[in-house]
Amino acid sequence: MEIKYIEQEKTFMLSNGRISYAFSVEKNRYLMHGYFGRNIQNYRGISRPYFYDRGFCSNPIPEERTFSLDTLPQEYPDMNQGDFRSPAYVIQTEDGRRVTRFYYKNYRIIRGKPILPGLPSVYTEDDEEALTLCVELEDKTMNAGIALYYTIFRDYDAVCRHVEVINAGKQELYLERLMSMSMDFPGTGYDVLTMTGGHMNEKNLNRRPVSSDSVVAESIRGCSSPQATPGIVLMEKEAGEHSGEVWGFQFVYSGDFQAVVQAGQFKSTRVQMGMNPLTFGWNLKSGERFVCPETVLVYSGQGLNGMSHTYHSLYRKRLCRGIYRDKERPVLLNSWEAFEFHVNEEKCRTLAGEAAKLGIELFVVDDGWFKKRVDDKRALGDWTWDREKFPGGISRLAKDIRSMGMDFGIWFEPEMVSPDSDLYRSHPDWIIRSPDYEPVLSRYQYVLDLSNPEVCKYVIHSVAGLLEAADISYVKWDMNRHMTDLGSFYLDGKQQRELSHRYMLGLYYILDTLNRKFPEILFEGCSSGGGRYDAGMLYYMPQTWASDNSDAICRMKIQYGTSLFFPPVTMGAHVSVSPNLQVGRETPLAARFTIAMSGNLGYEMDFRILPEKEKETVKEQIAFYKEVREVIQKGRFYRLINPQTGNVAAWNFVSEDEQTVIYCYAQILSEAVQVNTPVKLKGLRENWNYRFLQDGSCYGGDELMYAGITAEPVKKDFISHVYIFKKEGENRK
Ligand code: DGJ
């Protein structure tokens, strides 16, 4: 891994032997993007664009008619010097002008990767793992700087980029638009992949060509949202799951964002990722610095799977933190689908008793445990145990669960408040709203104003109080509405545009404080399912409930899409009842298990009334999962056939030591015309033999990967198979 500056060509080059990133300083002022892709040993810039004199092109250097920023592949473009494409930043001066001139000033190389204060980010454990380049731009008139950071890793084919804006002058500046990164690719012959969806329908993959205008993926909901994901992929036209060049861009942030893919008139493609200018604005006082969250850029020459592998291993090892980063995740039972709000001590104890017999390791009491919470109309914010439902309090139930040999976990929704709550009655000014209008309700609740440090203090205090009072080893942290009425009683008039980002900073502060205070607790993020399933949250909570839709078929599609950026170990996935509560579909227990065991297995059903035969099956499923979970939670995941576009799904896992392979196949609906299409596994060693554990037969890795496996035709809907292969003997060659 190295970062060098080649004086002769004024070029910066970052490389790790597998990928390279290059850009240069043009006319001693402007940063021109050069290259991001497969490793190049000595990038000299033969692919640089030629300059032409073109119509309507402005010339920042008057005597050079051929030089125009509109035609340049830029590294961090501004708005007022003739590049009319999407700018990376817009900064307003005190007199309301938005004209800036940031020019290249200098650079420095830092060992390791600096942390981003108050924000989630990819980290290193020692300085040998990464090198960081910081390039400074300066506007001398304004006396302000922009620092661009680029980190290259020894072990991952990723580059992290973020920016900082520094106000060294006397006047106050206003940041109106701020992207974490911008990059111009040559040509427009790409496809762009985004993720869209909604509640119970998260992470649908949408691939479309880059044409002559822009694709914008964004959220203004106060969170990354189920409707969008702060991650996009640019792909060569011919790239697919396993081949071709793809470039991933993922924002490590959980709030509003904007991702732009813009085709330029001279056939270039600009990609940007950063703060959403509709809900972002920041007053930067004299002497202050603003840090924009980072974007993780991944290059893969092996299609989408190759890209996913980099994100998966980087996030699993250097974004997730705490003891659960490396620890096996427990099999849990969550009370929600069994009891909804009607939990009580006795019901939980008897359900837990059944769960323990089946091998469950963690019992979670979901919503409904706190004072007066009988439905979703009340009590959020009053985080005290309901003594009527739980006469022995939190500690007695936790103790009982422990004595059954399980861990105990609990649900919270700490960012919210119900109008019918003691908290709201005593602090009506603690919610996000404008003083002039009645705030809009959603799920009968308001969002607390986490830009206010007092509110953050209350949240920390109330959650920590409960966590200290009992033996709790897991928290499900929910968030069930989006932001409206963007106004804060705490912030002054000028700061109102800062609210959305200040909310996120407040939330990150709360989570960081709780992480430090309770390092033993496993936190699972949730926002009515995968509504805030993003890289920012994974920094504080190493797993996320992937969707409120627990139907096996819908879940299969959602988890398949989720895996584009996020490793299976981060996905909470539960077996629930049939017919399914969300879609009414009846599916076999086996199919429900195949999907749920492909993430962090859990159950969400009333074991007290489950027929004995099914209980036996559940017991076997859990025992089976415990045997293979290391492969699922730490192994490599390969998408083979996409159920979002067809009737069949297939995927396989390969363990870290490569000796175990788990192959899963599912057919959604039975078809009259059965076709024999073998599925080719991925990631095996071609010259190893693998024993198929279910029947003892043995196959070469080459056959399993190149000829594939044909599924036995079955005339039934919702068929699924799980095959386990183990390496057998030595190399055959
Ligand atoms: C939404 C979550 O996604 C559900 O799993 C459940 O926890 C409910 N909230 C409880 O209100």
Side-chain angles (χ1 to χ4, degrees), residues 234-254:
L234 198 69
M235 311 174 63
E236 271 186 330
K237 287 263 179 236
E238 49 285 355
E241 274 291 8
H242 304 285
S243 63
E245 295 198 286
V246 308
W247 295 264
F249 302 85
Q250 218 201 7
F251 202 28
V252 185
Y253 191 58
S254 317

Side-chain angles (χ1 to χ4, degrees), residues 13-31:
M13 169 130 184
L14 299 85
S15 44
N16 66 6
R18 298 176 306 276
I19 59 165
S20 297
Y21 190 114
F23 61 99
S24 54
V25 183
E26 199 62 36
K27 311 286 178 205
N28 287 325
R29 285 183 182 171
Y30 308 104
L31 296 185

